[in-house]
Amino acid sequence: DTAVSQTPKYLVTQMGNDKSIKCEQNLGHDTMYWYKQDSKKFLKIMFSYNNKELIINETVPNRFSPKSPDKAHLNLHINSLELGDSAVYFCASSQGSNTPHEQYFGPGTRLTVT
Amino acid sequence: GNSVTQMEGPVTLSEEAFLTINCTYTATGYPSLFWYVQYPGEGLQLLLKATKADDKGSNKGFEATYRKETTSFHLEKGSVQVSDSAVYFCALRDGGTSYGKLTFGQGTILTVHP
């Protein structure tokens, strides 16, 4: 029943590790996004995929690599984790990438790097 | 580039008080404007939107009017409830080739006391 789901909800790991966050949407949307929310609640887009193609790639370290196996999934893999990667990561989806249609957000994944 | 500026928080009100959260923006062209709300421990939900000048978005007693002349989209509610306690984000998507990218303000934490 969940529209946009993310796993895991919490992720605690050590510096230098590699981790992945998964996102799935069952809304039939063709566009998916990853956003990062820092400790001060500031939200910034990281990536966007439209029909499995990368269309937005903000200034994000190349340790972050998104992968979209199909239109319903957008996963985020992070290599060599650093303390500064600690944040809440939100996945979102929408129908169409150049329309005012609503973006639907997942519940977030709280990543803590120790 | 695009930017969104929200009033500094946190905002603390008593139940039934009037709420205003100011939001101003800088953008090229004719952006669409949004207010999203984030309840504790949850992802963002669209609260209301306006896609052209003088449009008024409204939902759950909240309202905001797209003012092109003052580049503003202030959020108002006549009588807040404890359940309105959340973080409120103003956001824009410009009318050009932004591929759905949302630019967010810094968020305003609202706490409503009984």
Side-chain angles (χ1 to χ4, degrees), chain B residues 78-109:
Chain B
S79 175
V80 293
Q81 305 301 312
V82 172
S83 57
D84 293 327
S85 298
V87 184
Y88 292 81
F89 293 92
C90 185
L92 72 80
R93 179 166 53 226
D94 71 33
T97 309
S98 65
Y99 298 112
K101 170 185 168 182
L102 285 171
T103 299
F104 286 92
Q106 69 268 41
T108 301
I109 299 172

mmCIF file of all heavy atoms in Angstrom, chain B residues 78-109:
data_model
loop_
_atom_site.group_PDB
_atom_site.id
_atom_site.type_symbol
_atom_site.label_atom_id
_atom_site.label_comp_id
_atom_site.label_asym_id
_atom_site.label_seq_id
_atom_site.Cartn_x
_atom_site.Cartn_y
_atom_site.Cartn_z
ATOM 1 N N GLY B 78 -5.438 30.485 9.773
ATOM 2 C CA GLY B 78 -6.152 31.350 10.695
ATOM 3 C C GLY B 78 -6.154 30.866 12.138
ATOM 4 O O GLY B 78 -6.169 31.670 13.068
ATOM 5 N N SER B 79 -6.111 29.544 12.330
ATOM 6 C CA SER B 79 -6.231 29.010 13.684
ATOM 7 C C SER B 79 -5.480 27.678 13.722
ATOM 8 O O SER B 79 -5.981 26.667 13.229
ATOM 9 C CB SER B 79 -7.704 28.810 14.038
ATOM 10 O OG SER B 79 -7.838 28.193 15.301
ATOM 11 N N VAL B 80 -4.282 27.698 14.308
ATOM 12 C CA VAL B 80 -3.456 26.486 14.284
ATOM 13 C C VAL B 80 -3.886 25.517 15.387
ATOM 14 O O VAL B 80 -4.455 25.920 16.417
ATOM 15 C CB VAL B 80 -1.956 26.815 14.422
ATOM 16 C CG1 VAL B 80 -1.465 27.563 13.199
ATOM 17 C CG2 VAL B 80 -1.675 27.593 15.713
ATOM 18 N N GLN B 81 -3.570 24.246 15.156
ATOM 19 C CA GLN B 81 -3.840 23.182 16.117
ATOM 20 C C GLN B 81 -2.525 22.524 16.523
ATOM 21 O O GLN B 81 -1.514 22.640 15.810
ATOM 22 C CB GLN B 81 -4.764 22.128 15.489
ATOM 23 C CG GLN B 81 -6.061 22.690 14.929
ATOM 24 C CD GLN B 81 -6.883 23.390 15.997
ATOM 25 O OE1 GLN B 81 -7.097 22.852 17.085
ATOM 26 N NE2 GLN B 81 -7.355 24.598 15.709
ATOM 27 N N VAL B 82 -2.572 21.823 17.638
ATOM 28 C CA VAL B 82 -1.372 21.117 18.105
ATOM 29 C C VAL B 82 -0.857 20.170 17.018
ATOM 30 O O VAL B 82 0.351 20.014 16.814
ATOM 31 C CB VAL B 82 -1.663 20.351 19.409
ATOM 32 C CG1 VAL B 82 -0.489 19.471 19.792
ATOM 33 C CG2 VAL B 82 -1.979 21.327 20.544
ATOM 34 N N SER B 83 -1.792 19.569 16.278
ATOM 35 C CA SER B 83 -1.418 18.617 15.224
ATOM 36 C C SER B 83 -0.712 19.268 14.035
ATOM 37 O O SER B 83 -0.195 18.559 13.163
ATOM 38 C CB SER B 83 -2.659 17.874 14.724
ATOM 39 O OG SER B 83 -3.625 18.803 14.266
ATOM 40 N N ASP B 84 -0.669 20.577 13.992
ATOM 41 C CA ASP B 84 0.053 21.277 12.925
ATOM 42 C C ASP B 84 1.547 21.398 13.227
ATOM 43 O O ASP B 84 2.315 21.876 12.375
ATOM 44 C CB ASP B 84 -0.519 22.694 12.714
ATOM 45 C CG ASP B 84 -1.936 22.675 12.174
ATOM 46 O OD1 ASP B 84 -2.274 21.750 11.397
ATOM 47 O OD2 ASP B 84 -2.723 23.578 12.538
ATOM 48 N N SER B 85 1.953 20.991 14.398
ATOM 49 C CA SER B 85 3.371 21.037 14.756
ATOM 50 C C SER B 85 4.162 20.166 13.785
ATOM 51 O O SER B 85 3.906 18.967 13.654
ATOM 52 C CB SER B 85 3.580 20.539 16.183
ATOM 53 O OG SER B 85 2.916 21.365 17.109
ATOM 54 N N ALA B 86 5.123 20.784 13.100
ATOM 55 C CA ALA B 86 5.864 20.107 12.038
ATOM 56 C C ALA B 86 6.919 21.072 11.499
ATOM 57 O O ALA B 86 7.037 22.206 11.967
ATOM 58 C CB ALA B 86 4.926 19.692 10.897
ATOM 59 N N VAL B 87 7.660 20.601 10.504
ATOM 60 C CA VAL B 87 8.591 21.476 9.785
ATOM 61 C C VAL B 87 7.961 21.798 8.438
ATOM 62 O O VAL B 87 7.509 20.895 7.726
ATOM 63 C CB VAL B 87 9.964 20.814 9.585
ATOM 64 C CG1 VAL B 87 10.924 21.805 8.926
ATOM 65 C CG2 VAL B 87 10.532 20.329 10.914
ATOM 66 N N TYR B 88 7.948 23.069 8.077
ATOM 67 C CA TYR B 88 7.324 23.521 6.835
ATOM 68 C C TYR B 88 8.405 24.021 5.882
ATOM 69 O O TYR B 88 9.264 24.815 6.259
ATOM 70 C CB TYR B 88 6.298 24.629 7.132
ATOM 71 C CG TYR B 88 5.105 24.088 7.882
ATOM 72 C CD1 TYR B 88 5.162 23.901 9.261
ATOM 73 C CD2 TYR B 88 3.937 23.729 7.207
ATOM 74 C CE1 TYR B 88 4.085 23.368 9.956
ATOM 75 C CE2 TYR B 88 2.852 23.206 7.892
ATOM 76 C CZ TYR B 88 2.936 23.028 9.269
ATOM 77 O OH TYR B 88 1.868 22.486 9.949
ATOM 78 N N PHE B 89 8.314 23.529 4.638
ATOM 79 C CA PHE B 89 9.298 23.881 3.621
ATOM 80 C C PHE B 89 8.609 24.567 2.446
ATOM 81 O O PHE B 89 7.652 24.038 1.883
ATOM 82 C CB PHE B 89 9.998 22.628 3.080
ATOM 83 C CG PHE B 89 10.869 21.927 4.064
ATOM 84 C CD1 PHE B 89 10.360 20.895 4.849
ATOM 85 C CD2 PHE B 89 12.200 22.280 4.211
ATOM 86 C CE1 PHE B 89 11.165 20.230 5.760
ATOM 87 C CE2 PHE B 89 13.009 21.619 5.120
ATOM 88 C CZ PHE B 89 12.489 20.596 5.898
ATOM 89 N N CYS B 90 9.138 25.714 2.076
ATOM 90 C CA CYS B 90 8.741 26.374 0.841
ATOM 91 C C CYS B 90 9.692 25.888 -0.261
ATOM 92 O O CYS B 90 10.890 25.674 0.002
ATOM 93 C CB CYS B 90 8.858 27.887 1.026
ATOM 94 S SG CYS B 90 8.267 28.874 -0.351
ATOM 95 N N ALA B 91 9.176 25.678 -1.462
ATOM 96 C CA ALA B 91 10.016 25.160 -2.538
ATOM 97 C C ALA B 91 9.553 25.708 -3.873
ATOM 98 O O ALA B 91 8.398 26.113 -4.021
ATOM 99 C CB ALA B 91 9.977 23.626 -2.559
ATOM 100 N N LEU B 92 10.459 25.712 -4.834
ATOM 101 C CA LEU B 92 10.082 26.121 -6.186
ATOM 102 C C LEU B 92 10.666 25.153 -7.197
ATOM 103 O O LEU B 92 11.664 24.476 -6.953
ATOM 104 C CB LEU B 92 10.545 27.550 -6.482
ATOM 105 C CG LEU B 92 12.034 27.858 -6.691
ATOM 106 C CD1 LEU B 92 12.519 27.515 -8.099
ATOM 107 C CD2 LEU B 92 12.293 29.338 -6.455
ATOM 108 N N ARG B 93 9.967 25.112 -8.349
ATOM 109 C CA ARG B 93 10.503 24.427 -9.513
ATOM 110 C C ARG B 93 10.399 25.413 -10.656
ATOM 111 O O ARG B 93 9.304 25.897 -10.948
ATOM 112 C CB ARG B 93 9.729 23.152 -9.819
ATOM 113 C CG ARG B 93 10.262 22.427 -11.041
ATOM 114 C CD ARG B 93 9.746 21.021 -11.156
ATOM 115 N NE ARG B 93 8.299 20.995 -11.082
ATOM 116 C CZ ARG B 93 7.637 20.120 -10.328
ATOM 117 N NH1 ARG B 93 8.271 19.241 -9.612
ATOM 118 N NH2 ARG B 93 6.329 20.141 -10.309
ATOM 119 N N ASP B 94 11.531 25.728 -11.277
ATOM 120 C CA ASP B 94 11.456 26.789 -12.280
ATOM 121 C C ASP B 94 10.805 26.268 -13.558
ATOM 122 O O ASP B 94 10.636 25.067 -13.760
ATOM 123 C CB ASP B 94 12.822 27.430 -12.526
ATOM 124 C CG ASP B 94 13.792 26.514 -13.260
ATOM 125 O OD1 ASP B 94 13.356 25.711 -14.105
ATOM 126 O OD2 ASP B 94 14.993 26.613 -12.968
ATOM 127 N N GLY B 95 10.413 27.208 -14.390
ATOM 128 C CA GLY B 95 9.638 26.843 -15.573
ATOM 129 C C GLY B 95 10.477 26.385 -16.730
ATOM 130 O O GLY B 95 9.943 25.977 -17.760
ATOM 131 N N GLY B 96 11.807 26.424 -16.544
ATOM 132 C CA GLY B 96 12.681 26.011 -17.635
ATOM 133 C C GLY B 96 12.980 24.531 -17.569
ATOM 134 O O GLY B 96 12.189 23.740 -17.056
ATOM 135 N N THR B 97 14.125 24.159 -18.076
ATOM 136 C CA THR B 97 14.494 22.741 -18.115
ATOM 137 C C THR B 97 15.140 22.358 -16.790
ATOM 138 O O THR B 97 16.340 22.254 -16.678
ATOM 139 C CB THR B 97 15.460 22.486 -19.276
ATOM 140 O OG1 THR B 97 14.906 23.030 -20.452
ATOM 141 C CG2 THR B 97 15.676 20.997 -19.460
ATOM 142 N N SER B 98 14.331 22.193 -15.768
ATOM 143 C CA SER B 98 14.873 21.862 -14.454
ATOM 144 C C SER B 98 14.709 20.391 -14.134
ATOM 145 O O SER B 98 15.149 19.933 -13.096
ATOM 146 C CB SER B 98 14.179 22.702 -13.383
ATOM 147 O OG SER B 98 12.812 22.361 -13.308
ATOM 148 N N TYR B 99 14.023 19.647 -15.050
ATOM 149 C CA TYR B 99 13.818 18.216 -14.860
ATOM 150 C C TYR B 99 13.212 17.900 -13.496
ATOM 151 O O TYR B 99 13.576 16.928 -12.866
ATOM 152 C CB TYR B 99 15.136 17.466 -15.036
ATOM 153 C CG TYR B 99 15.701 17.616 -16.423
ATOM 154 C CD1 TYR B 99 16.864 18.332 -16.638
ATOM 155 C CD2 TYR B 99 15.057 17.057 -17.527
ATOM 156 C CE1 TYR B 99 17.380 18.478 -17.922
ATOM 157 C CE2 TYR B 99 15.562 17.203 -18.800
ATOM 158 C CZ TYR B 99 16.727 17.908 -18.983
ATOM 159 O OH TYR B 99 17.246 18.061 -20.256
ATOM 160 N N GLY B 100 12.294 18.747 -13.061
ATOM 161 C CA GLY B 100 11.588 18.458 -11.830
ATOM 162 C C GLY B 100 12.339 18.815 -10.568
ATOM 163 O O GLY B 100 11.845 18.582 -9.472
ATOM 164 N N LYS B 101 13.521 19.388 -10.715
ATOM 165 C CA LYS B 101 14.329 19.681 -9.521
ATOM 166 C C LYS B 101 13.622 20.700 -8.641
ATOM 167 O O LYS B 101 13.242 21.770 -9.099
ATOM 168 C CB LYS B 101 15.679 20.227 -9.971
ATOM 169 C CG LYS B 101 16.538 20.803 -8.875
ATOM 170 C CD LYS B 101 17.781 21.403 -9.477
ATOM 171 C CE LYS B 101 18.525 22.245 -8.492
ATOM 172 N NZ LYS B 101 19.717 22.872 -9.099
ATOM 173 N N LEU B 102 13.438 20.364 -7.380
ATOM 174 C CA LEU B 102 12.872 21.280 -6.397
ATOM 175 C C LEU B 102 14.005 21.972 -5.652
ATOM 176 O O LEU B 102 14.937 21.315 -5.198
ATOM 177 C CB LEU B 102 11.999 20.529 -5.405
ATOM 178 C CG LEU B 102 10.619 20.072 -5.881
ATOM 179 C CD1 LEU B 102 9.979 19.162 -4.840
ATOM 180 C CD2 LEU B 102 9.720 21.251 -6.157
ATOM 181 N N THR B 103 13.890 23.288 -5.513
ATOM 182 C CA THR B 103 14.806 24.051 -4.672
ATOM 183 C C THR B 103 14.048 24.418 -3.406
ATOM 184 O O THR B 103 12.995 25.059 -3.475
ATOM 185 C CB THR B 103 15.292 25.311 -5.391
ATOM 186 O OG1 THR B 103 15.986 24.938 -6.583
ATOM 187 C CG2 THR B 103 16.226 26.113 -4.496
ATOM 188 N N PHE B 104 14.568 24.002 -2.257
ATOM 189 C CA PHE B 104 13.874 24.184 -0.983
ATOM 190 C C PHE B 104 14.430 25.358 -0.198
ATOM 191 O O PHE B 104 15.620 25.666 -0.265
ATOM 192 C CB PHE B 104 14.029 22.928 -0.115
ATOM 193 C CG PHE B 104 13.190 21.765 -0.560
ATOM 194 C CD1 PHE B 104 13.689 20.828 -1.436
ATOM 195 C CD2 PHE B 104 11.896 21.609 -0.085
ATOM 196 C CE1 PHE B 104 12.924 19.749 -1.843
ATOM 197 C CE2 PHE B 104 11.119 20.530 -0.484
ATOM 198 C CZ PHE B 104 11.635 19.607 -1.373
ATOM 199 N N GLY B 105 13.558 25.971 0.596
ATOM 200 C CA GLY B 105 14.001 26.866 1.642
ATOM 201 C C GLY B 105 14.561 26.055 2.794
ATOM 202 O O GLY B 105 14.543 24.821 2.770
ATOM 203 N N GLN B 106 15.025 26.748 3.818
ATOM 204 C CA GLN B 106 15.724 26.056 4.906
ATOM 205 C C GLN B 106 14.805 25.376 5.887
ATOM 206 O O GLN B 106 15.267 24.686 6.794
ATOM 207 C CB GLN B 106 16.659 27.044 5.647
ATOM 208 C CG GLN B 106 15.921 28.109 6.449
ATOM 209 C CD GLN B 106 15.688 29.370 5.642
ATOM 210 O OE1 GLN B 106 15.354 29.314 4.454
ATOM 211 N NE2 GLN B 106 15.837 30.524 6.279
ATOM 212 N N GLY B 107 13.501 25.540 5.717
ATOM 213 C CA GLY B 107 12.551 24.908 6.626
ATOM 214 C C GLY B 107 12.284 25.767 7.853
ATOM 215 O O GLY B 107 13.170 26.454 8.356
ATOM 216 N N THR B 108 11.045 25.728 8.316
ATOM 217 C CA THR B 108 10.645 26.460 9.526
ATOM 218 C C THR B 108 9.967 25.486 10.467
ATOM 219 O O THR B 108 8.968 24.846 10.101
ATOM 220 C CB THR B 108 9.681 27.610 9.194
ATOM 221 O OG1 THR B 108 10.300 28.520 8.291
ATOM 222 C CG2 THR B 108 9.276 28.363 10.467
ATOM 223 N N ILE B 109 10.541 25.350 11.660
ATOM 224 C CA ILE B 109 9.959 24.444 12.652
ATOM 225 C C ILE B 109 8.828 25.169 13.373
ATOM 226 O O ILE B 109 9.022 26.253 13.922
ATOM 227 C CB ILE B 109 11.031 24.006 13.674
ATOM 228 C CG1 ILE B 109 12.163 23.256 12.964
ATOM 229 C CG2 ILE B 109 10.410 23.140 14.762
ATOM 230 C CD1 ILE B 109 13.345 22.947 13.862
#
